[in-house]
Amino acid sequence: MIPDAGATLLRGVDVAAFATALVDLLRRHGVGVSAVGAANFSEAVHVHSPRTRTQLYWTARITLINRQEDLEIFDAQFERVFVGATLGLDPIARRVGSDRTVGDATLPVAGVSSGGADIIDVPWIGRATSSGREAVPDQVRPGLLLPSALAGKSEEPFAQLSPSDLALLGQWIEQAESDWPRRRRRRRRLGRRGTVDLRASMSIARRTGFEFVRLARARPQQRPRTIVVLCDVSRSMHGYADMYLHLMRVAARRGDAEVFAFSTTLTRLTPILAHRSADAAIAEANNRVVDRYGGTHIGTSVASLLASHHGHTLRGAVVVIASDGWDSDDPDILVRAMARVRRRAHRVVWLNPRAGATGFEPLTGSMAAALPYCDTVLPADRLTALRALFTTISDAQ
């Protein structure tokens, strides 16, 4: 049964303009609506046209709201726009001046409200009528191009962000697309393209009296390059370790990787952070690291990894060490460990969150000792700095 179009709540309204203005209103009051929120809302209205104000409320709430903390602001703005309206929405009703009710509420027309004040936050823009005129309000305020909540936090240091902001940036890190580095294998794969494979060509030539009628071609195979991440979770890394855990989870879920956390001892987190739920994975990782926010033994922890059966994973791998370089061990211990890591690894990247400060110099003993064995030292103290890390890892072919 085809529904009656006359009962549609937004009959005669330009849904695109309505959705854009509603999204702009919510963003001006601090609601973090995504970039595709207005498009999703417009599509939902076209797919299932709301007949009542309650249906319109849930359509807008499901498509526009992504965070629980925005619900209170959303409800307040929705009530301010839609409650107390007295004039029907149908453009024909505007011309004849009738008072028509659609569904369980009468909705406002541009410039008219029960209190006599103009409603210009969400303009009701009517499509062209049969007479060729358009029921367009006198005052239409175009939507503002505002940055998302993620863009506003991208330049702030991780140590200054609230737990909710850290969770928001952590979601972006786990959703960010990054090319996984690859390495060539010794074995080659037969195909139509590539260089001539002499052994395979001779095997084929046996069928034709050892006449090389058809040449076999092969090209090198590639496989994902291993990434090994070691994250310092000591007291001096408080404020950065939570964000680096999200980074470690990306490595644990996306490719051939091993992730470890260390403070006074080394803890392997690869199977824990591979959990499909980010919240459950981070919570379990925090519980597993018993020495979190304690002292720091960088050299001993790296040496423990080399001595374990996981030490072979460093061969040909991209090794990422996230630490500020404050160490209780003798720098000579780290020198010997980093020398062994340098001989095994394809590339060594050190993330120092304090390297982004103006006038930074690696004056700590352990940082100065490890510097000659590192290919790159990156600050990684804010979201924009992590992009350089993704580029460095992607280029490690």
Side-chain angles (χ1 to χ4, degrees):
M1 179 178 178
I2 300 176
D4 182 13
T8 301
L9 188 63
L10 299 181
R11 181 186 180 190
V13 172
D14 189 336
V15 177
F18 170 74
T20 302
L22 180 59
V23 169
D24 175 61
L25 172 66
L26 296 176
R27 285 175 176 169
R28 286 189 289 112
H29 288 83
V31 178
V33 182
S34 65
V36 296
N40 293 339
F41 176 70
S42 301
E43 183 179 0
V45 170
H46 285 296
V47 171
H48 180 70
S49 300
R51 298 169 180 263
T52 65
R53 192 181 68 198
T54 301
Q55 294 179 355
L56 179 63
Y57 168 83
W58 284 106
T59 302
R61 174 170 168 174
I62 292 174
T63 56
L64 300 180
I65 303 302
N66 300 318
R67 302 182 303 178
Q68 183 178 4
E69 53 266 27
D70 293 336
L71 290 178
E72 183 177 356
I73 302 177
F74 171 78
D75 292 342
Q77 297 306 316
F78 191 90
E79 291 289 321
R80 187 171 72 87
V81 172
F82 294 101
V83 171
T86 58
L87 190 59
L89 179 59
D90 192 351
I92 300 178
R94 303 179 196 178
R95 296 200 302 272
V96 300
S98 62
D99 187 5
R100 297 179 56 184
T101 302
V102 181
D104 63 352
T106 54
L107 299 181
V109 184
V112 181
S113 68
S114 58
D118 292 343
I119 299 177
I120 61 175
D121 284 331
V122 180
W124 301 89
I125 303 178
R127 298 189 181 95
T129 62
S130 59
S131 61
R133 297 176 299 174
E134 293 186 3
V136 181
D138 296 333
Q139 298 180 355
V140 178
R141 184 178 56 79
L144 299 177
L145 296 178
L146 299 179
S148 64
L150 182 64
K153 303 295 182 180
S154 60
E155 292 292 342
E156 296 187 20
F158 295 149
Q160 300 178 8
L161 297 178
S162 63
S164 60
D165 294 334
L166 288 175
L168 178 63
L169 297 185
Q171 294 176 3
W172 178 87
I173 292 176
E174 296 186 11
Q175 296 172 1
E177 293 293 337
S178 179
D179 295 331
W180 197 267
R182 307 185 67 84
R183 61 182 300 181
R184 292 183 57 177
R185 303 182 62 179
R186 293 184 178 180
R187 294 187 177 182
R188 292 153 53 94
R189 176 179 298 176
L190 295 177
R192 296 182 178 180
R193 291 178 291 180
T195 58
V196 176
D197 190 303
L198 182 59
R199 177 176 294 182
S201 298
M202 292 183 63
S203 178
I204 296 175
R206 295 176 60 183
R207 307 172 189 173
T208 57
F210 289 96
E211 292 289 340
F212 288 90
V213 178
R214 184 168 64 90
L215 298 179
R217 297 184 178 274
R219 55 183 178 178
Q221 299 185 44
Q222 290 189 340
R223 66 179 180 88
R225 187 178 291 277
T226 305
I227 294 182
V228 180
V229 183
L230 293 89
C231 181
D232 185 354
V233 293
S234 61
R235 186 182 303 275
S236 61
M237 289 289 291
H238 182 69
Y240 300 98
D242 289 339
M243 186 57 60
Y244 290 161
L245 283 177
H246 287 279
L247 184 63
M248 296 166 66
R249 185 169 182 269
V250 173
R253 288 179 57 86
R254 290 207 170 184
D256 186 9
E258 287 288 343
V259 294
F260 303 86
F262 66 88
S263 179
T264 56
T265 58
L266 188 70
T267 305
R268 182 172 179 259
L269 299 179
T270 305
I272 299 174
L273 293 179
H275 195 281
R276 63 180 180 179
S277 172
D279 296 337
I282 299 300
E284 180 62 22
N286 291 331
N287 295 333
R288 182 65 62 90
V289 182
V290 295
D291 57 346
R292 187 179 184 184
Y293 301 148
T296 311
H297 295 284
I298 303 177
T300 303
S301 300
V302 176
S304 299
L305 173 61
L306 292 167
S308 68
H309 66 279
H310 296 291
H312 71 279
T313 58
L314 277 69
R315 300 187 185 278
V318 178
V319 179
V320 180
I321 302 177
S323 176
D324 54 6
W326 293 1
D327 192 5
S328 301
D329 289 337
D330 192 319
D332 292 338
I333 300 177
L334 184 60
V335 168
R336 291 191 294 269
M338 290 299 298
R340 296 180 61 189
V341 171
R342 175 68 275 178
R343 289 194 294 267
R344 296 187 185 187
H346 172 70
R347 182 170 296 181
V348 179
V349 180
W350 193 291
L351 301 183
N352 191 330
R354 307 186 188 280
T358 304
F360 168 80
E361 294 182 7
L363 300 179
T364 59
S366 296
M367 191 70 235
L371 195 60
Y373 304 97
C374 299
D375 295 287
T376 309
V377 177
L378 300 175
D381 59 337
R382 60 196 70 198
L383 188 60
T384 53
L386 286 181
R387 296 172 182 170
L389 172 63
F390 293 153
T391 302
T392 302
I393 293 178
S394 300
D395 294 341
Q397 301 296 339

